[in-house]
Amino acid sequence: DQNKNWIVIGDEEPGFSLRHFVIPSHYKDDVERVLIPHGMIMDRVEKLAHEIAADTEGPLTVCCILKGGHAFFADLVNRLKKCTNAAGQNLPMQLDFIKVKSYEGDKSSGNVTISYTEQELHDLKGKHLLLVEDIIDTGATMTALLAKLAEYQPASVRVVSLFLKRTPKSVGYIPDYVGVEIPDQFIVGYCLDYNEIFRDLDHVCVISETGKQKYA
Ligand code: 5GP
């Protein structure tokens, strides 16, 4: 784990009791504990922005993978604006949005749908893409998306994912940049949803049985 370029949360690490944090009252029974406080997420976002900028020569097309990725995308782009590359230059950025869906509730459906028009895909030709994803679980979604995008010949594609789940179901895909590696648990908050709920929670939390049943 020392060799990994990201934070690893071990299987035995419980996270933090809810009582130490401000949790929206409507969610107090629906999450078990805080796994990653919002402040720590922001610190990782800052560091990822520095690393990405240092590795980037010129203009970048930053693609938000909707909807889960949107908070991370907004915070990352804001940090990237303040970063410089190895040559001391700020990075010209274009922003793009791709809607991808593969989950039903808390189960990976294995069925990936990408809502992007042919024209939008053709516009990617020759561009240096940075795909911004919230979480890689099995990796099936990202593998399918990368295969689809490759057909349209971007100049390069890199992927940053805020979270990487350790799971035996992984297809083996590892993104170029990772914020935090987490145990095989279903997390919500910071725009990660469960059936569209919990996007208005800042801390990343583990959902409770009550929460799972209530919003199933
Ligand atoms: P994969 O194809 O890698 O198995 O799944 C990736 C997608 O599943 C992510 O983009 C995300 O939308 C969803 N996902 C996977 N794990 C979680 C999780 O723990 N919490 C939430 N809210 N979504 C997840």
Side-chain angles (χ1 to χ4, degrees):
D1 284 2
Q2 270 90 341
N3 299 330
K4 289 183 179 167
N5 206 16
W6 54 80
I7 289 179
V8 176
I9 300 185
D11 287 342
E12 305 309 319
E13 288 179 55
F16 306 95
S17 166
L18 296 181
R19 70 181 198 280
H20 304 307
F21 295 88
V22 177
I23 303 289
S25 55
H26 48 283
Y27 291 144
K28 68 177 178 21
D29 298 326
D30 306 334
V31 291
E32 244 173 57
R33 54 212 152 76
V34 173
L35 193 63
I36 307 157
H38 185 250
M40 182 169 148
I41 295 169
M42 297 310 285
D43 292 326
R44 286 301 291 143
V45 170
E46 179 178 27
K47 180 66 175 175
L48 288 169
H50 279 258
E51 289 174 1
I52 292 164
D55 294 344
T56 306
E57 252 174 62
L60 200 56
T61 299
V62 191
C63 305
C64 177
I65 315 292
L66 293 168
K67 300 178 194 172
H70 108 252
F72 176 41
F73 174 83
D75 288 333
L76 184 72
V77 168
N78 275 331
R79 292 306 313 188
L80 278 170
K81 284 184 218 161
K82 296 177 190 137
C83 290
T84 51
N85 63 12
Q89 302 292 321
N90 294 123
L91 293 174
M93 287 184 279
Q94 287 189 355
L95 308 184
D96 213 335
F97 299 85
I98 310 180
K99 194 167 177 185
V100 178
K101 197 162 188 271
S102 77
Y103 252 61
E104 296 298 336
D106 65 348
K107 298 276 179 308
S108 196
S109 70
N111 234 328
V112 178
T113 51
I114 301 165
S115 348
Y116 222 33
T117 65
E118 278 298 305
Q119 187 56 52
E120 285 171 315
L121 285 164
H122 282 291
D123 289 345
L124 299 177
K125 190 171 175 157
K127 292 195 171 151
H128 292 279
L129 308 183
L130 176 70
L131 307 186
V132 181
E133 175 64 296
D134 51 356
I135 182 165
I136 303 289
D137 183 358
T138 64
T141 306
M142 189 50 73
T143 308
L145 179 60
L146 288 171
K148 175 92 179 163
L149 295 182
E151 292 171 26
Y152 296 87
Q153 302 170 338
S156 68
V157 184
R158 283 176 291 162
V159 175
V160 55
S161 181
L162 184 55
F163 302 113
L164 174 64
K165 211 181 268 193
R166 263 191 319 282
T167 163
K169 295 196 199 113
S170 169
V171 300
Y173 173 75
I174 305 277
D176 301 280
Y177 307 91
V178 173
V180 183
E181 181 182 312
I182 61 161
D184 197 358
Q185 291 167 331
F186 195 79
I187 57 171
V188 292
Y190 192 66
C191 279
L192 283 99
D193 73 310
Y194 175 65
N195 292 328
E196 303 300 325
I197 311 293
F198 296 110
R199 293 198 203 270
D200 54 340
L201 171 68
D202 279 339
H203 304 296
V204 169
C205 298
V206 176
I207 195 168
S208 69
E209 264 317 305
T210 311
K212 264 195 195 176
Q213 283 171 18
K214 193 149 128 194
Y215 304 113

